[in-house]
Amino acid sequence: MRFGLFTTLTGAVWSEVQALWQHVEATGWDAACVTDHFMPNQPDPVGDTLECWTTLSGLAMLTRRMRIGTIVSGNSYRHPAVLAKMAANVDIMSGGRLICGLGAGWQENEHAAYGIPFYTMTERLERLDEACQILKLLWMEPKTSFEGRHYRLAAAPLSPKPVQRPHPELMIGGGGEKLTLRIVARHADLWNVWGGPGVLARKGKILEERCAEIGRDPKAIVRSANMPLLFTDSKAEAEQLVQTVARRMGPHTMDPRDTVLAGSVGEITDTVGRLRETGVGQLFIPTMFLSKPYEPVLDRFISLVAPAFRS
């Protein structure tokens, strides 16, 4: 398994993000990704929020080894042709380490505040499907013409090309079983979802069915999960994290108790083991559910839990 950091850029300070990423690279983490939002998701949306792709370009120059990316970039925020260009530049700047994570977009208050059309869920997913096609075509072809329902390109070039061939890793975020997992089956190199062993086992079987429908090997798609982390011997503290996740994630969480990594080192190791049994190849630890300073708990995980899964 590979282990990554999932860094929120809401309420973040550049110098702290910089120091954290340099620390996790030095201590052996495999990857680090950033969120993509313009403002906090709260009644009063005023608060420091670093922009995703410009922050990632800076972090590309401050790291050397681990893979870097987005969990996940909102497709509704940028035209996919513009995103393809941005992502290619970050892949070049990082020496071919980009994970381009993409999702349909969900934070409605951002769209309203900035005048970005929100569309229906079905329309956003249709746009995501077309965006995945456009990204790959622009990354691979000398010129791209595309005639979709939502996007059109006319002999569009993209140069220079990304370092990774045939293209940067495309990670699609989301667990919607009717539409999202079909998009994952068609286009993703990696699939990312919030959830633990129960969620991944059930949705993983559905993804396998979607792959079978189009004749794709599901093993070609790396499964990745996001799980909040808490080392504790207190059942009450573990339950408090469960409730915090439930309030924060709302309808995005199937079962909060199957979403958290909470307990002793042994209990957390057991949960990661069950996660691996579902086929998960990468686990991301989100900072939005950690208390500062982040480094001590991250160090504990990477030194005491991760080694058991890196043979």
Side-chain angles (χ1 to χ4, degrees):
M1 290 183 74
R2 295 183 296 179
F3 298 95
L5 182 70
F6 178 2
T7 313
T8 180
L9 296 183
T10 301
V13 177
W14 164 247
S15 59
E16 293 178 357
V17 175
Q18 172 186 343
L20 177 62
W21 276 46
Q22 290 176 316
H23 177 85
V24 296
E25 180 171 68
T27 51
W29 289 75
D30 302 296
C33 291
V34 293
T35 54
D36 184 17
H37 293 291
F38 302 132
M39 66 187 201
N41 186 27
Q42 57 194 32
D44 182 2
V46 176
D48 290 348
T49 304
L50 300 176
E51 195 278 325
C52 170
W53 283 94
T54 49
T55 300
L56 190 63
S57 65
L59 293 166
M61 305 303 293
L62 294 171
T63 54
R64 294 290 179 268
R65 176 191 54 79
M66 65 182 182
R67 299 192 65 74
I68 64 170
T70 55
I71 298 182
V72 283
S73 189
N75 179 61
S76 53
Y77 298 146
R78 304 166 189 85
H79 192 286
V82 175
L83 178 63
K85 185 68 173 181
M86 295 163 60
N89 281 11
V90 173
D91 195 54
I92 292 168
M93 294 167 69
S94 68
R97 293 182 286 125
L98 177 66
I99 301 170
C100 184
L102 191 62
W106 62 269
Q107 190 168 319
E108 187 172 1
N109 68 343
E110 293 181 300
H111 294 75
Y114 288 96
I116 301 169
F118 191 55
Y119 307 110
T120 65
M121 174 59 77
T122 298
E123 288 174 313
R124 297 200 305 276
L125 288 168
E126 289 175 351
R127 288 172 175 272
L128 176 62
D129 184 84
E130 290 188 10
C132 291
Q133 299 174 61
I134 290 169
L135 288 171
K136 289 185 175 182
L137 288 169
L138 285 169
W139 286 335
M140 293 189 295
E141 301 296 331
K143 293 183 179 179
T144 296
S145 294
F146 182 88
E147 188 73 23
R149 181 177 178 181
H150 303 286
Y151 300 111
R152 293 170 179 79
L153 278 69
L158 190 146
S159 183
K161 296 296 185 188
V163 171
Q164 295 181 78
R165 299 300 170 87
H167 54 74
E169 286 185 300
L170 181 59
M171 178 169 71
I172 297 176
E177 297 167 9
K178 293 182 179 180
L179 295 177
T180 304
L181 291 184
R182 293 184 188 278
I183 298 171
V184 172
R186 283 194 290 267
H187 304 298
D189 302 301
L190 296 91
W191 167 50
N192 180 260
V193 67
W194 286 87
V199 171
L200 269 294
R202 185 171 65 80
K203 291 185 180 291
K205 289 180 181 178
I206 296 171
L207 177 60
E208 290 168 5
E209 294 171 1
R210 301 294 179 250
C211 287
E213 292 169 358
I214 61 173
R216 187 178 184 195
D217 183 357
K219 294 182 180 178
I221 304 170
V222 175
R223 303 179 188 189
S224 67
N226 309 320
M227 296 191 73
L229 173 66
L230 175 66
F231 288 103
T232 182
D233 294 320
S234 168
K235 297 298 183 183
E237 289 182 353
E239 180 61 22
Q240 184 177 14
L241 176 61
V242 167
Q243 296 305 319
T244 298
V245 171
R247 288 193 301 271
R248 178 80 175 263
M249 301 299 293
H252 300 286
T253 302
M254 297 295 295
D255 178 2
R257 289 178 177 80
D258 188 49
T259 301
V260 302
L261 277 173
S264 66
V265 170
E267 289 170 328
I268 289 172
T269 301
D270 177 69
T271 301
V272 175
R274 289 187 288 114
L275 195 65
R276 182 173 65 175
E277 290 173 0
T278 70
V280 168
Q282 181 136 14
L283 172 63
F284 287 97
I285 304 298
T287 62
M288 62 278 288
F289 294 103
L290 293 175
S291 298
K292 291 183 179 180
Y294 302 140
E295 289 83 354
V297 66
L298 295 173
D299 290 351
R300 190 176 184 189
F301 180 88
I302 207 67
S303 63
L304 297 181
V305 178
F309 305 97
R310 285 181 154 174
S311 60

